[in-house]
Amino acid sequence: MNFKLLPIMMVGLLSFKPMTINDPNGDNNGNGNGKKVTVVTKSSTIKSKEIAAVTKTNLKSNTTSNLSAFDKLVLSEYLDLDEKKFEKPEMESFKAAFKGYYKLKDQGKLNKEILTIIDFTKSSTERRMWVIDMKSHEILYQTVVSHGRNSGKEYANDFSNARESYKSSLGFYTTAETYMGKHGLSLRLDGLEAGINNNARERDIVIHAADYANENLGKNQGYLGRSLGCPALPYEVAHDIINLIKNESCLFIYHADQKGYLTTSNLLN
């Protein structure tokens, strides 16, 4: 992201009226009731889960006054997400994805205002993939997604950029062209981070549909079926998602416990 443009972007943000609301969780330690929290938002109402997300990510205060300009911008965008029938991603994963997305956009590497987030911190039985329209702030899809079979069983904990590791890779990707493979319509991915995911095309890491990426199967056996490293999707949504995000949109694969990646990625730091 071109942070020289941040003051201009903040003009719109600062034009919103601050809203003082009651925080049902009290202070950051969970003490007290009805503590006042001031947030800057485009919405006229804020749900309790959003309040919790704000206070969780605000390290020193329950107000936005101590947040940086960038954090205020992220917070505004996060609160403005239109979930419709879906849940929002975690604030931490959205913040990281948001930062990398705008850096890539500033570099001219994106052709679509679509951001896809996969949060491998979550169980494979959960709907841990989101497709977000960054222009309208609408969550278009939320679905289960498989991880590589050697990354873990219910949870993905081990990641690799190596061929035949059969593990998932973290980081930022651009979506590329589609093709018809053994799983039907499939989407090639180009990893953008050296040593993290830049072997994605060589490894044939693609988005495709799979019978084992079935939400009911995951619930019944306690984990979703696993791939050879590809983010595999349920058949009922794969075709539409692939056609929506193909041709240079941003995909970000996140894990909250992978501090080595989060603190060294050039797109996050």
Side-chain angles (χ1 to χ4, degrees):
M1 183 178 186
N2 188 344
F3 291 99
K4 293 180 180 179
L5 297 178
L6 194 54
I8 298 174
M9 298 173 70
M10 285 300 297
V11 170
L13 173 62
L14 295 176
S15 66
F16 306 138
K17 293 182 179 180
M19 178 184 298
T20 301
I21 54 180
N22 287 324
D23 175 11
N25 298 316
D27 62 21
N28 285 338
N29 296 316
N31 300 317
N33 294 312
K35 190 176 182 69
K36 296 293 184 180
V37 180
T38 302
V39 297
V40 180
T41 176
K42 301 176 187 177
S43 304
S44 59
T45 59
I46 299 179
K47 298 178 182 178
S48 59
K49 68 175 183 178
E50 293 171 329
I51 300 170
V54 174
T55 56
K56 181 178 179 181
T57 55
N58 189 348
L59 299 179
K60 296 182 179 180
S61 171
N62 278 338
T63 72
T64 60
S65 59
N66 290 335
L67 293 178
S68 68
F70 175 74
D71 283 345
K72 286 181 179 179
L73 180 61
V74 174
L75 178 57
S76 176
E77 293 289 324
Y78 183 75
L79 292 175
D80 201 42
L81 285 179
D82 183 2
E83 309 111 300
K84 289 191 173 178
K85 60 183 179 180
F86 305 119
E87 295 180 355
K88 293 182 181 182
E90 298 294 332
M91 178 65 157
E92 291 86 350
S93 62
F94 178 79
K95 179 178 178 179
F98 181 91
K99 190 169 190 177
Y101 168 85
Y102 274 104
K103 280 192 176 182
L104 293 173
K105 187 176 181 181
D106 190 51
Q107 294 169 8
K109 293 183 178 179
L110 302 179
N111 188 44
K112 291 183 174 180
E113 293 184 275
I114 298 289
L115 172 61
T116 302
I117 302 172
I118 296 175
D119 186 354
F120 277 153
T121 316
K122 295 180 176 292
S123 165
S124 62
T125 63
E126 297 184 57
R127 296 179 181 180
R128 54 184 180 169
M129 175 172 165
W130 293 262
V131 180
I132 302 171
D133 185 326
M134 296 295 282
K135 187 174 183 179
S136 67
H137 303 97
E138 182 181 351
I139 298 176
L140 304 175
Y141 291 94
Q142 183 186 6
T143 181
V144 296
V145 58
S146 293
H147 57 253
R149 70 185 187 193
N150 287 342
S151 283
K153 194 172 183 179
E154 179 184 353
Y155 291 89
N157 294 308
D158 295 315
F159 302 93
S160 176
N161 192 36
R163 286 183 62 87
E164 299 183 2
S165 66
Y166 303 143
K167 294 181 180 181
S168 298
S169 301
L170 299 172
F172 287 91
Y173 302 74
T174 50
T175 61
E177 74 278 9
T178 59
Y179 69 97
M180 293 301 295
K182 65 180 181 180
H183 296 288
L185 184 67
S186 303
L187 176 62
R188 296 197 187 279
L189 301 172
D190 289 316
L192 302 177
E193 303 194 72
I196 302 297
N197 60 23
N198 62 305
N199 289 333
R201 186 174 282 265
E202 180 185 351
R203 294 177 61 202
D204 292 323
I205 301 301
V206 302
I207 294 179
H208 62 77
D211 289 329
Y212 54 77
N214 180 285
E215 188 168 357
N216 290 329
L217 174 65
K219 289 178 179 178
N220 290 335
Q221 67 182 15
Y223 62 94
L224 203 66
R226 293 160 294 168
S227 68
L228 299 182
C230 298
L233 302 177
Y235 268 101
E236 56 265 30
V237 296
H239 188 275
D240 289 343
I241 289 178
I242 287 172
N243 278 324
L244 174 65
I245 70 174
K246 66 182 180 181
N247 298 329
E248 297 183 337
S249 73
C250 179
L251 165 67
F252 177 55
I253 300 180
Y254 172 86
H255 195 295
D257 296 333
Q258 297 296 313
K259 303 301 183 185
Y261 165 72
L262 295 173
T263 57
T264 59
S265 168
N266 289 332
L267 289 170
L268 295 177
N269 298 282

